[in-house]
Amino acid sequence: MDSYLRGEKAFLKAYGRYDVVLERGEGVYLYDTNKKQYLDFYSGIGVNSFGHGYKPYINALQKQIETLMHVSNYFYTPVSIEAAEAVKKATQLDGVFFCNSGAEATEGALKLARKYYYMKHGKANSEIISFHHSFHGRSTGSVKLTGNPHYQEAFGPLIKGVHYATLNDLKSVEALINERTAAIIVEPLQGEGGLNLCHQDFMTGLRQLCDEHDICLILDEVQCGMGRTGTIMTYFQYNILPDIVCLAKGIGCGVPVGAFVANEKYAKAMEPGDHGSTYGGNPFVCAAVKTVFEIIEREDMLKHVQEISKYLTEKLDELIREFDIVESRRGLGLMQGLVLKDDARPYVKELLTEGVIVVTAGTNVIRMLPPFVITEEHVDEFIGKLKNILKKSK
Ligand SMILES: *Cc1c(COP(=O)(O)O)cnc(C)c1O
């Protein structure tokens, strides 16, 4: 039986998977079981920032496997301390909780914001403001934060007290604020929802509203953080700090790890027994976290992301002028979306056939999340193949 069919028989059908079985990765290329090569322009949904088989990363993990894999969170380990310090430094916040995924990061941030509210009011009746078209994960808490009814419908009753505002519409946020509002959660750059970027005045406005009303500003940088947009956290481009930031995806570059990180004010609300995770931030994943920060710094990767993304966006903008079907481009750094006047899925499928992997966002956006280590040649290869496909649509 072919591998794809074996997979179809063995797995729950939670995903619509492509009829391609990936076997090996090297640099920015992936290879399937028929040895066909694919240019990786999605990084496993914004995870593999260094591409595949990046030696300094692999060496650090191998060393850690031989030293210590897991001890539980009853103990610190040297490597977990180093990882937490690196996260603190990068986020300019004060206290780290390591978990295993993005959903757990948003879930944990939600709990911490509610705990602060509970300590202040003595009541557990807080409300949260999230946004339409947002994405915060699939657990029953985080999926409620996710402003997409389609993901929620079948799974109720979900958590109560979540209301949805409109991105970049401060009035819609103000209208939802009341004395029970504990937190506002927002992605500075929405990923799944279609690469919608928060405007500067909107972000500044959210920070002000949160300060005025003692509300927790949670930024979900699970996808847009960790250097993907050209700064280590996207919020540095807005000149604000959140009260809590959520991280995952690129923080492990392939090992399952997430984190939520709080400032002093919210860090104080966390007490022993409030939250936990058996695996959360074990020595193995912390070796990855620590090494990811080291590599980004040592290799000056943020500068490279800024430069190569400029090249990429220039080429993408040419496509808007050249092809009617291409409406616009949205995004920051190496988190880009090409907005089509058409369903993006057939184009993504065509690209796969041509040996390029990208993903969609919303229904009409081709989303690109290439590894940080791409060069101009890779961009040219990508644009060449994309052009061939767009030409057919003319
Ligand atoms: C992917 C993502 C999540 C969920 O992360 P998982 O690791 O899949 O649970 C949460 N928020 C954002 C912004 C994401 O892109």
Side-chain angles (χ1 to χ4, degrees), residues 101-103 135-137 187 220 222-223 249:
S101 68
F135 186 85
H136 300 292
E187 299 152 84
D220 181 348
V222 167
Q223 194 162 151
K249 296 198 165 102

Side-chain angles (χ1 to χ4, degrees), residues 307-321:
E307 285 166 0
I308 197 70
S309 64
K310 186 163 175 286
Y311 186 74
L312 173 66
T313 52
E314 279 165 13
K315 298 280 165 186
L316 290 171
D317 287 344
E318 283 171 18
L319 301 178
I320 305 170
R321 291 188 287 274

